[in-house]
Amino acid sequence: MLEKILELIKAGKSIDEISDELSMPLEEVEGALKILESLGYIERVESGSSACESCPLSSVCPGSCFRFKGKVYTVTDFRISGQR
């Protein structure tokens, strides 16, 4: 299930969209995201002007993260040896 969630994050899906697509409670998706984050597969993107420069959504975002109440994650380059 973590692999599927990681794929959906790579596809740019929001936490709510992942929850809907996988028919999982929102709390379970959030828990899975915490696991992926602790393993180094994803990292949370902080909102704010300095974070906007490195945000993967900067090309489509109007720069109004202060109004956004959700969490945004990006996939890291972390790889377990032997994994692709």
Side-chain angles (χ1 to χ4, degrees), residues 1-2 4 13-14 20-21 24 26-30 32 35-36 39 41-42 51 54 65-67 71 77-78 81-82:
M1 185 61 63
L2 293 175
K4 183 62 179 169
K13 301 286 184 174
S14 70
D20 291 342
E21 190 164 327
M24 289 177 67
L26 192 58
E27 295 80 18
E28 285 185 33
V29 174
E30 290 173 342
I35 291 169
L36 288 168
L39 294 172
Y41 284 97
I42 62 173
S54 62
C65 289
F66 63 89
R67 288 187 236 159
K71 298 176 184 174
D77 290 330
F78 175 81
S81 55

Side-chain angles (χ1 to χ4, degrees), residues 47-83:
S47 60
S49 61
S50 63
C52 288
E53 296 167 9
S54 62
C55 180
L57 303 176
S58 62
S59 64
V60 295
C61 179
S64 56
C65 289
F66 63 89
R67 288 187 236 159
F68 180 69
K69 301 295 183 210
K71 298 176 184 174
V72 177
Y73 290 88
T74 186
V75 178
T76 66
D77 290 330
F78 175 81
R79 297 287 183 261
I80 296 175
S81 55
Q83 298 282 330

Side-chain angles (χ1 to χ4, degrees), residues 2-17:
L2 293 175
E3 292 170 349
K4 183 62 179 169
I5 292 173
L6 189 58
E7 288 176 21
L8 293 171
I9 292 171
K10 286 180 184 178
K13 301 286 184 174
S14 70
I15 297 173
D16 289 330
E17 291 170 325

